[in-house]
PDB file of all heavy atoms in Angstrom:
ATOM      1  N   LYS E1067      83.454 -49.192 -11.611  1.00 70.00           N
ATOM      2  CA  LYS E1067      82.908 -49.855 -12.791  1.00 70.00           C
ATOM      3  C   LYS E1067      84.042 -50.370 -13.652  1.00 70.00           C
ATOM      4  O   LYS E1067      85.091 -49.745 -13.757  1.00 70.00           O
ATOM      5  CB  LYS E1067      82.125 -48.836 -13.601  1.00 70.00           C
ATOM      6  CG  LYS E1067      80.719 -48.651 -13.156  1.00 70.00           C
ATOM      7  CD  LYS E1067      80.018 -47.952 -14.285  1.00 70.00           C
ATOM      8  CE  LYS E1067      78.647 -47.471 -13.924  1.00 70.00           C
ATOM      9  NZ  LYS E1067      78.046 -46.796 -15.057  1.00 70.00           N
ATOM     10  N   LYS E1068      83.775 -51.512 -14.270  1.00 71.00           N
ATOM     11  CA  LYS E1068      84.767 -51.989 -15.229  1.00 71.00           C
ATOM     12  C   LYS E1068      84.523 -51.284 -16.561  1.00 71.00           C
ATOM     13  O   LYS E1068      83.388 -51.136 -16.983  1.00 71.00           O
ATOM     14  CB  LYS E1068      84.590 -53.493 -15.444  1.00 71.00           C
ATOM     15  CG  LYS E1068      85.261 -54.320 -14.389  1.00 71.00           C
ATOM     16  CD  LYS E1068      85.140 -55.777 -14.784  1.00 71.00           C
ATOM     17  CE  LYS E1068      84.600 -56.562 -13.627  1.00 71.00           C
ATOM     18  NZ  LYS E1068      84.171 -57.897 -13.995  1.00 71.00           N
ATOM     19  N   TYR E1069      85.581 -50.895 -17.180  1.00 74.00           N
ATOM     20  CA  TYR E1069      85.394 -50.253 -18.476  1.00 74.00           C
ATOM     21  C   TYR E1069      85.538 -51.229 -19.620  1.00 74.00           C
ATOM     22  O   TYR E1069      85.460 -50.874 -20.783  1.00 74.00           O
ATOM     23  CB  TYR E1069      86.331 -49.050 -18.615  1.00 74.00           C
ATOM     24  CG  TYR E1069      85.775 -47.917 -17.823  1.00 74.00           C
ATOM     25  CD1 TYR E1069      86.112 -47.729 -16.497  1.00 74.00           C
ATOM     26  CD2 TYR E1069      84.806 -47.092 -18.380  1.00 74.00           C
ATOM     27  CE1 TYR E1069      85.527 -46.737 -15.750  1.00 74.00           C
ATOM     28  CE2 TYR E1069      84.222 -46.092 -17.636  1.00 74.00           C
ATOM     29  CZ  TYR E1069      84.584 -45.908 -16.316  1.00 74.00           C
ATOM     30  OH  TYR E1069      83.973 -44.931 -15.585  1.00 74.00           O
ATOM     31  N   SER E1070      85.780 -52.510 -19.265  1.00 83.00           N
ATOM     32  CA  SER E1070      85.843 -53.496 -20.340  1.00 83.00           C
ATOM     33  C   SER E1070      85.142 -54.767 -19.908  1.00 83.00           C
ATOM     34  O   SER E1070      85.734 -55.812 -19.812  1.00 83.00           O
ATOM     35  CB  SER E1070      87.288 -53.789 -20.699  1.00 83.00           C
ATOM     36  OG  SER E1070      87.996 -54.107 -19.526  1.00 83.00           O
ATOM     37  N   LYS E1071      83.849 -54.614 -19.604  1.00 88.00           N
ATOM     38  CA  LYS E1071      83.022 -55.781 -19.282  1.00 88.00           C
ATOM     39  C   LYS E1071      82.971 -56.717 -20.486  1.00 88.00           C
ATOM     40  O   LYS E1071      83.135 -57.917 -20.378  1.00 88.00           O
ATOM     41  CB  LYS E1071      81.614 -55.291 -18.933  1.00 88.00           C
ATOM     42  CG  LYS E1071      80.594 -56.387 -18.742  1.00 88.00           C
ATOM     43  CD  LYS E1071      80.707 -56.998 -17.386  1.00 88.00           C
ATOM     44  CE  LYS E1071      79.717 -58.150 -17.233  1.00 88.00           C
ATOM     45  NZ  LYS E1071      80.028 -58.947 -16.052  1.00 88.00           N
ATOM     46  N   LEU E1072      82.721 -56.113 -21.618  1.00 92.00           N
ATOM     47  CA  LEU E1072      82.682 -56.859 -22.879  1.00 92.00           C
ATOM     48  C   LEU E1072      83.682 -56.222 -23.826  1.00 92.00           C
ATOM     49  O   LEU E1072      83.753 -55.003 -23.922  1.00 92.00           O
ATOM     50  CB  LEU E1072      81.294 -56.737 -23.522  1.00 92.00           C
ATOM     51  CG  LEU E1072      80.216 -57.738 -23.175  1.00 92.00           C
ATOM     52  CD1 LEU E1072      78.943 -57.343 -23.894  1.00 92.00           C
ATOM     53  CD2 LEU E1072      80.611 -59.142 -23.527  1.00 92.00           C
ATOM     54  N   GLU E1073      84.432 -57.063 -24.516  1.00 92.00           N
ATOM     55  CA  GLU E1073      85.437 -56.519 -25.423  1.00 92.00           C
ATOM     56  C   GLU E1073      85.472 -57.323 -26.710  1.00 92.00           C
ATOM     57  O   GLU E1073      85.255 -58.534 -26.695  1.00 92.00           O
ATOM     58  CB  GLU E1073      86.818 -56.638 -24.771  1.00 92.00           C
ATOM     59  CG  GLU E1073      87.340 -55.372 -24.151  1.00 92.00           C
ATOM     60  CD  GLU E1073      88.680 -55.628 -23.507  1.00 92.00           C
ATOM     61  OE1 GLU E1073      88.722 -56.358 -22.496  1.00 92.00           O
ATOM     62  OE2 GLU E1073      89.678 -55.127 -24.031  1.00 92.00           O
ATOM     63  N   ALA E1074      85.767 -56.639 -27.783  1.00 93.00           N
ATOM     64  CA  ALA E1074      86.076 -57.347 -29.025  1.00 93.00           C
ATOM     65  C   ALA E1074      87.464 -56.902 -29.442  1.00 93.00           C
ATOM     66  O   ALA E1074      87.784 -55.711 -29.382  1.00 93.00           O
ATOM     67  CB  ALA E1074      85.066 -57.017 -30.106  1.00 93.00           C
ATOM     68  N   ILE E1075      88.286 -57.869 -29.804  1.00 93.00           N
ATOM     69  CA  ILE E1075      89.645 -57.526 -30.202  1.00 93.00           C
ATOM     70  C   ILE E1075      89.908 -58.059 -31.600  1.00 93.00           C
ATOM     71  O   ILE E1075      89.822 -59.266 -31.835  1.00 93.00           O
ATOM     72  CB  ILE E1075      90.671 -58.107 -29.202  1.00 93.00           C
ATOM     73  CG1 ILE E1075      90.424 -57.479 -27.822  1.00 93.00           C
ATOM     74  CG2 ILE E1075      92.087 -57.842 -29.672  1.00 93.00           C
ATOM     75  CD1 ILE E1075      91.186 -58.133 -26.710  1.00 93.00           C
ATOM     76  N   ASN E1076      90.176 -57.148 -32.518  1.00 94.00           N
ATOM     77  CA  ASN E1076      90.467 -57.503 -33.918  1.00 94.00           C
ATOM     78  C   ASN E1076      89.487 -58.520 -34.463  1.00 94.00           C
ATOM     79  O   ASN E1076      89.869 -59.539 -35.009  1.00 94.00           O
ATOM     80  CB  ASN E1076      91.884 -58.063 -34.045  1.00 94.00           C
ATOM     81  CG  ASN E1076      92.898 -56.987 -33.748  1.00 94.00           C
ATOM     82  OD1 ASN E1076      92.669 -55.826 -34.058  1.00 94.00           O
ATOM     83  ND2 ASN E1076      93.996 -57.374 -33.132  1.00 94.00           N
TER      84      ASN E1076
END
Side-chain angles (χ1 to χ4, degrees):
Chain E
K1067 275 196 190 179
K1068 277 186 231 167
Y1069 283 90
S1070 52
K1071 173 80 183 167
L1072 271 177
E1073 259 178 292
I1075 298 170
N1076 293 326

